[in-house]
Amino acid sequence: MAEELNSETQSPTIGPEGGQTPAETAEVAPSVEGGGAEQVEHRTGEHEERRGGRGGGHHGRAPREGGVEGQDEIVVRVYRCATVVKGGRRFSFGALVVVGDRHGKVGIGYGKANEVPSAVEKATKAARRAMISVKLNGTTIPHQVMGKYGASKVALIPAGEGTGVIAGASVRAVMELAGVKDVLTKCYGSTSPKNLVKAAFLALASLRSKDDVAKLRDVSIA
């Protein structure tokens, strides 16, 4: 009789439908929930690592050395254009690139292709063909100047040594690759990167030194 009671005490309790009792379910649930949370966190971490975090994009890329020795290039912006065709959408890409040696020479270029690397390569070649020499006064520009392109205006103001380049991303790329280390800038009108880059480029191209002005006016400037 005692053995029968012990066997009844040790036998598992069966629920009304042949499953486990709520007590056993409660003991198993925490381990399942914990494992699921670890899997979710692990998958989320993998997704963030693949995506590279928020804020990733094609604009504002870090400068990289180009194929020509002593010249750097910055991809200011990559544009994507979609054309609707019978079978769906066909994409093409455009790249805005600034090239310079950081010692008074800078150029800008825009290229279009069906792939991003090809567009960047075309823009880089166009920028090297359009390079100009910039008149500098030490680490800044010789005088204040205003550049205009389309609906955008960019004002460049000389600054003292140690000021740095006070500008947005688009204008900063042009200033840094041109070798301007201290300058104040102000943009008016449209904030399109294409217009701002071209306006800043034209402003640098219109800079004149004292010797240039003296030759044009045929006078001596103290």
Side-chain angles (χ1 to χ4, degrees), residues 81-103:
C81 178
T83 302
V84 179
V85 295
K86 186 177 180 180
R89 292 189 298 174
R90 183 172 61 239
F91 294 100
S92 61
F93 300 90
L96 181 62
V97 177
V98 181
V99 175
D101 61 354
R102 301 181 188 271
H103 295 287

Side-chain angles (χ1 to χ4, degrees), residues 120-132:
V120 173
E121 183 179 359
K122 286 183 178 181
T124 303
K125 291 181 179 179
R128 290 200 178 101
R129 290 194 299 266
M131 292 188 71
I132 61 171

Side-chain angles (χ1 to χ4, degrees), residues 39-124:
Q39 293 178 0
V40 170
E41 291 178 359
H42 181 64
R43 291 176 182 176
T44 305
E46 289 182 350
H47 179 66
E48 292 293 339
E49 185 177 357
R50 290 196 304 267
R51 190 176 60 177
R54 295 186 178 180
H58 296 293
H59 56 278
R61 296 185 178 182
R64 60 180 183 179
E65 295 183 357
V68 179
E69 184 179 359
Q71 292 184 357
D72 296 338
E73 66 182 57
I74 295 179
V75 181
V76 179
R77 182 68 65 88
V78 174
Y79 298 89
R80 188 183 71 172
C81 178
T83 302
V84 179
V85 295
K86 186 177 180 180
R89 292 189 298 174
R90 183 172 61 239
F91 294 100
S92 61
F93 300 90
L96 181 62
V97 177
V98 181
V99 175
D101 61 354
R102 301 181 188 271
H103 295 287
K105 289 187 177 181
V106 67
I108 62 174
Y110 184 78
K112 296 187 294 183
N114 293 330
E115 300 292 338
V116 174
S118 301
V120 173
E121 183 179 359
K122 286 183 178 181
T124 303

